[in-house]
């Protein structure tokens, strides 16, 4: 699957829920869902009855777009989740949350996951003192995440860090704004992961 380069607000409208792809705009009245909560296109206002397959497909697409991943990446993480002990759906969400680009976003260093991914790819992030520029890198409990010394004066990172100081961090993360560093306190549990999907439907889609 090629990378989507169109307007991301169309994706939120297509899924009928906020996917928080546009940063701070998603929290204002300019949000596409707040203005036009119908599917894009000429016949978007016509919402027919969803089939069982369609319902599961939509949940899968919603979760994939929420984390800004293409299909091959997404399915690879699902395959990893099936090989782990425990519930596949919970394992899947935990793996997605442990991605480095998502952790950078959750700490507030990126206003969206797309921006957080760019920050990682450009080499601005250190994990346990070493540069990691792979967005899909999986963090572990106890890992130290920080902005490299030479990148701390970048305006976009400074502004994001200042805005992050008033946000509520997930319980499994901690972040020091002044030092621009955080830590993975523990691996996230299901009740600590806020996603607008029913993960069991995603599991059923791939297990069909």
């Amino acid at each position: 699957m090629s990378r989507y380069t169109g307007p991301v607000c169309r994706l939120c409208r297509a899924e009928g829920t906020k996917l928080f792809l546009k940063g701070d705009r998603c929290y204002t009245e300019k949000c596409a869902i707040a203005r036009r909560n119908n599917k894009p296109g000429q016949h978007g206002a016509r919402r027919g009855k969803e089939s069982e397959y369609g319902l599961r497909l939509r949940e899968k697409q919603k979760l994939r777009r929420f984390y800004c991943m293409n299909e091959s990446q997404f399915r690879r993480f699902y395959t990893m989740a099936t090989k782990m002990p425990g519930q596949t759906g919970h394992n899947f969400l935990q793996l997605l949350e442990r991605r480095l680009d998502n952790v950078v976003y959750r700490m507030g260093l990126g206003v969206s996951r797309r921006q957080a991914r760019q920050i990682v790819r450009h080499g601005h992030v250190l994990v346990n003192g070493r540069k990691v520029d792979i967005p899909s890198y999986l963090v572990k409990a106890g890992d130290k995440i920080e902005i490299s010394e030479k990148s701390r004066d970048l305006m976009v990172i400074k502004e994001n860090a200042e805005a992050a100081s008033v946000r509520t961090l997930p319980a499994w993360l901690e972040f020091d704004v002044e030092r621009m560093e955080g830590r993975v306190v523990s691996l996230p549990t299901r009740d600590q992961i806020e996603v607008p999907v029913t993960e069991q439907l995603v599991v059923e889609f791939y297990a069909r």
Side-chain angles (χ1 to χ4, degrees):
M1 175 183 171
S2 60
R3 183 168 61 93
Y4 178 76
T5 57
V8 294
C9 289
R10 288 177 63 91
L11 301 181
C12 294
R13 291 177 59 204
E15 303 304 337
T17 188
K18 288 187 179 186
L19 301 177
F20 301 98
L21 305 176
K22 200 73 171 180
D24 294 336
R25 182 189 176 113
C26 299
Y27 299 94
T28 70
E29 67 279 359
K30 293 182 179 180
C31 172
I33 292 295
R35 292 185 293 116
R36 291 180 295 173
N37 189 12
N38 59 278
K39 291 185 178 182
Q42 182 179 358
H43 305 293
R46 304 178 187 176
R47 289 184 182 268
K49 184 178 179 181
E50 201 87 74
S51 67
E52 290 296 312
Y53 170 80
L55 179 64
R56 286 158 178 74
L57 174 62
R58 288 269 59 84
E59 287 296 288
K60 188 269 291 186
Q61 292 291 77
K62 192 187 304 180
L63 186 62
R64 181 176 67 78
R65 289 167 170 172
F66 186 77
Y67 286 99
C68 302
M69 298 170 67
N70 63 38
E71 181 61 31
S72 61
Q73 291 175 320
F74 195 68
R75 188 164 194 128
R76 179 168 60 86
F77 271 72
Y78 173 78
T79 301
M80 291 169 58
T82 62
K83 298 177 181 178
M84 297 167 59
Q87 296 185 36
T88 299
H90 294 182
N91 293 338
F92 191 28
L93 291 181
Q94 186 183 87
L95 287 173
L96 295 174
E97 283 290 301
R98 287 173 55 197
R99 285 174 55 99
L100 182 57
D101 56 355
N102 178 74
V103 172
V104 170
Y105 166 72
R106 292 292 193 190
M107 287 181 172
L109 292 171
V111 296
S112 66
R113 286 181 178 83
R114 289 176 184 269
Q115 187 186 72
R117 180 173 300 177
Q118 187 177 46
I119 289 172
V120 173
R121 279 180 172 161
H122 287 186
H124 301 309
V125 178
L126 306 180
V127 178
N128 297 327
R130 298 179 60 183
K131 183 177 78 171
V132 177
D133 56 6
I134 303 172
S136 61
Y137 176 88
L138 292 177
V139 302
K140 303 181 294 294
D143 279 354
K144 178 183 176 183
I145 316 296
E146 61 183 318
I147 297 297
S148 65
E149 193 70 38
K150 66 179 182 179
S151 302
R152 296 185 181 185
D153 290 331
L154 292 177
M155 186 60 65
V156 64
I157 292 178
K158 289 176 67 175
E159 290 177 349
N160 290 348
E162 291 172 4
S165 63
V166 297
R167 295 180 183 173
T168 303
L169 269 180
W172 57 284
L173 295 174
E174 60 182 23
F175 181 65
D176 186 324
V177 176
E178 295 297 325
R179 302 174 66 180
M180 285 198 187
E181 67 180 44
R183 189 172 299 276
V184 181
V185 179
S186 62
L187 297 184
T189 58
R190 177 62 186 95
D191 61 316
Q192 294 173 329
I193 302 174
E194 296 184 10
V195 291
V197 299
T198 304
E199 68 274 9
Q200 184 56 34
L201 294 178
V202 181
V203 174
E204 291 174 4
F205 174 86
Y206 281 122
R208 73 192 190 283

mmCIF file of all heavy atoms in Angstrom, residues 69-84:
data_model
loop_
_atom_site.group_PDB
_atom_site.id
_atom_site.type_symbol
_atom_site.label_atom_id
_atom_site.label_comp_id
_atom_site.label_asym_id
_atom_site.label_seq_id
_atom_site.Cartn_x
_atom_site.Cartn_y
_atom_site.Cartn_z
ATOM 1 N N MET A 69 -0.367 3.967 10.029
ATOM 2 C CA MET A 69 0.458 2.886 9.511
ATOM 3 C C MET A 69 -0.113 2.375 8.207
ATOM 4 O O MET A 69 -1.319 2.453 7.976
ATOM 5 C CB MET A 69 0.518 1.734 10.529
ATOM 6 C CG MET A 69 1.142 2.130 11.856
ATOM 7 S SD MET A 69 0.947 0.850 13.129
ATOM 8 C CE MET A 69 1.964 -0.465 12.461
ATOM 9 N N ASN A 70 0.760 1.819 7.346
ATOM 10 C CA ASN A 70 0.247 1.200 6.144
ATOM 11 C C ASN A 70 -0.135 -0.254 6.453
ATOM 12 O O ASN A 70 0.163 -0.776 7.526
ATOM 13 C CB ASN A 70 1.240 1.300 4.980
ATOM 14 C CG ASN A 70 2.541 0.565 5.228
ATOM 15 O OD1 ASN A 70 2.561 -0.508 5.814
ATOM 16 N ND2 ASN A 70 3.647 1.134 4.759
ATOM 17 N N GLU A 71 -0.776 -0.906 5.516
ATOM 18 C CA GLU A 71 -1.347 -2.236 5.783
ATOM 19 C C GLU A 71 -0.278 -3.279 6.101
ATOM 20 O O GLU A 71 -0.470 -4.104 6.997
ATOM 21 C CB GLU A 71 -2.185 -2.686 4.586
ATOM 22 C CG GLU A 71 -2.841 -4.039 4.765
ATOM 23 C CD GLU A 71 -3.817 -4.102 5.938
ATOM 24 O OE1 GLU A 71 -4.442 -3.070 6.240
ATOM 25 O OE2 GLU A 71 -3.943 -5.178 6.538
ATOM 26 N N SER A 72 0.830 -3.274 5.386
ATOM 27 C CA SER A 72 1.856 -4.291 5.619
ATOM 28 C C SER A 72 2.473 -4.147 7.011
ATOM 29 O O SER A 72 2.713 -5.151 7.701
ATOM 30 C CB SER A 72 2.945 -4.210 4.540
ATOM 31 O OG SER A 72 3.581 -2.946 4.554
ATOM 32 N N GLN A 73 2.740 -2.904 7.440
ATOM 33 C CA GLN A 73 3.249 -2.673 8.789
ATOM 34 C C GLN A 73 2.244 -3.144 9.830
ATOM 35 O O GLN A 73 2.584 -3.829 10.797
ATOM 36 C CB GLN A 73 3.512 -1.183 9.013
ATOM 37 C CG GLN A 73 4.648 -0.581 8.244
ATOM 38 C CD GLN A 73 4.709 0.921 8.475
ATOM 39 O OE1 GLN A 73 3.680 1.604 8.523
ATOM 40 N NE2 GLN A 73 5.906 1.442 8.614
ATOM 41 N N PHE A 74 1.006 -2.761 9.600
ATOM 42 C CA PHE A 74 -0.068 -3.055 10.554
ATOM 43 C C PHE A 74 -0.242 -4.555 10.721
ATOM 44 O O PHE A 74 -0.334 -5.060 11.843
ATOM 45 C CB PHE A 74 -1.360 -2.413 10.045
ATOM 46 C CG PHE A 74 -2.445 -2.319 11.075
ATOM 47 C CD1 PHE A 74 -2.324 -1.472 12.158
ATOM 48 C CD2 PHE A 74 -3.607 -3.069 10.939
ATOM 49 C CE1 PHE A 74 -3.346 -1.366 13.098
ATOM 50 C CE2 PHE A 74 -4.620 -2.972 11.868
ATOM 51 C CZ PHE A 74 -4.497 -2.124 12.950
ATOM 52 N N ARG A 75 -0.259 -5.273 9.615
ATOM 53 C CA ARG A 75 -0.449 -6.727 9.676
ATOM 54 C C ARG A 75 0.753 -7.414 10.333
ATOM 55 O O ARG A 75 0.595 -8.425 11.022
ATOM 56 C CB ARG A 75 -0.684 -7.292 8.279
ATOM 57 C CG ARG A 75 -1.080 -8.749 8.311
ATOM 58 C CD ARG A 75 -1.691 -9.220 7.020
ATOM 59 N NE ARG A 75 -2.346 -10.507 7.234
ATOM 60 C CZ ARG A 75 -3.587 -10.785 6.911
ATOM 61 N NH1 ARG A 75 -4.355 -9.857 6.391
ATOM 62 N NH2 ARG A 75 -4.081 -11.987 7.120
ATOM 63 N N ARG A 76 1.940 -6.880 10.109
ATOM 64 C CA ARG A 76 3.133 -7.450 10.742
ATOM 65 C C ARG A 76 3.032 -7.375 12.259
ATOM 66 O O ARG A 76 3.377 -8.327 12.966
ATOM 67 C CB ARG A 76 4.387 -6.724 10.247
ATOM 68 C CG ARG A 76 5.685 -7.227 10.874
ATOM 69 C CD ARG A 76 6.892 -6.686 10.123
ATOM 70 N NE ARG A 76 6.940 -5.229 10.124
ATOM 71 C CZ ARG A 76 7.495 -4.518 11.106
ATOM 72 N NH1 ARG A 76 8.046 -5.117 12.150
ATOM 73 N NH2 ARG A 76 7.523 -3.194 11.036
ATOM 74 N N PHE A 77 2.526 -6.253 12.771
ATOM 75 C CA PHE A 77 2.359 -6.113 14.212
ATOM 76 C C PHE A 77 1.268 -7.053 14.725
ATOM 77 O O PHE A 77 1.382 -7.596 15.828
ATOM 78 C CB PHE A 77 2.027 -4.657 14.567
ATOM 79 C CG PHE A 77 3.247 -3.815 14.798
ATOM 80 C CD1 PHE A 77 4.067 -3.442 13.746
ATOM 81 C CD2 PHE A 77 3.596 -3.398 16.066
ATOM 82 C CE1 PHE A 77 5.203 -2.679 13.942
ATOM 83 C CE2 PHE A 77 4.725 -2.634 16.292
ATOM 84 C CZ PHE A 77 5.527 -2.273 15.225
ATOM 85 N N TYR A 78 0.225 -7.250 13.931
ATOM 86 C CA TYR A 78 -0.823 -8.188 14.331
ATOM 87 C C TYR A 78 -0.259 -9.608 14.424
ATOM 88 O O TYR A 78 -0.552 -10.338 15.376
ATOM 89 C CB TYR A 78 -1.991 -8.159 13.347
ATOM 90 C CG TYR A 78 -3.015 -9.234 13.627
ATOM 91 C CD1 TYR A 78 -3.930 -9.079 14.653
ATOM 92 C CD2 TYR A 78 -3.020 -10.421 12.890
ATOM 93 C CE1 TYR A 78 -4.859 -10.080 14.946
ATOM 94 C CE2 TYR A 78 -3.933 -11.428 13.181
ATOM 95 C CZ TYR A 78 -4.845 -11.240 14.204
ATOM 96 O OH TYR A 78 -5.748 -12.243 14.496
ATOM 97 N N THR A 79 0.564 -9.990 13.463
ATOM 98 C CA THR A 79 1.179 -11.320 13.473
ATOM 99 C C THR A 79 2.045 -11.496 14.712
ATOM 100 O O THR A 79 2.052 -12.569 15.347
ATOM 101 C CB THR A 79 2.021 -11.540 12.208
ATOM 102 O OG1 THR A 79 1.185 -11.399 11.052
ATOM 103 C CG2 THR A 79 2.643 -12.921 12.197
ATOM 104 N N MET A 80 2.777 -10.448 15.087
ATOM 105 C CA MET A 80 3.585 -10.494 16.310
ATOM 106 C C MET A 80 2.694 -10.707 17.529
ATOM 107 O O MET A 80 3.035 -11.483 18.427
ATOM 108 C CB MET A 80 4.382 -9.189 16.459
ATOM 109 C CG MET A 80 5.483 -8.992 15.448
ATOM 110 S SD MET A 80 6.174 -7.303 15.477
ATOM 111 C CE MET A 80 6.726 -7.196 17.179
ATOM 112 N N ALA A 81 1.544 -10.045 17.549
ATOM 113 C CA ALA A 81 0.631 -10.145 18.690
ATOM 114 C C ALA A 81 0.064 -11.547 18.843
ATOM 115 O O ALA A 81 -0.160 -12.020 19.967
ATOM 116 C CB ALA A 81 -0.501 -9.130 18.539
ATOM 117 N N THR A 82 -0.180 -12.232 17.717
ATOM 118 C CA THR A 82 -0.746 -13.587 17.777
ATOM 119 C C THR A 82 0.241 -14.580 18.378
ATOM 120 O O THR A 82 -0.180 -15.645 18.859
ATOM 121 C CB THR A 82 -1.154 -14.079 16.374
ATOM 122 O OG1 THR A 82 0.009 -14.139 15.534
ATOM 123 C CG2 THR A 82 -2.188 -13.158 15.755
ATOM 124 N N LYS A 83 1.525 -14.278 18.349
ATOM 125 C CA LYS A 83 2.543 -15.201 18.857
ATOM 126 C C LYS A 83 2.887 -14.934 20.322
ATOM 127 O O LYS A 83 3.732 -15.633 20.891
ATOM 128 C CB LYS A 83 3.799 -15.097 17.991
ATOM 129 C CG LYS A 83 3.558 -15.481 16.527
ATOM 130 C CD LYS A 83 4.805 -15.297 15.682
ATOM 131 C CE LYS A 83 4.524 -15.662 14.225
ATOM 132 N NZ LYS A 83 5.720 -15.457 13.362
ATOM 133 N N MET A 84 2.257 -13.927 20.917
ATOM 134 C CA MET A 84 2.510 -13.593 22.314
ATOM 135 C C MET A 84 1.472 -14.268 23.207
ATOM 136 O O MET A 84 0.339 -14.479 22.777
ATOM 137 C CB MET A 84 2.462 -12.069 22.504
ATOM 138 C CG MET A 84 3.520 -11.304 21.754
ATOM 139 S SD MET A 84 3.196 -9.511 21.720
ATOM 140 C CE MET A 84 3.150 -9.114 23.481
#
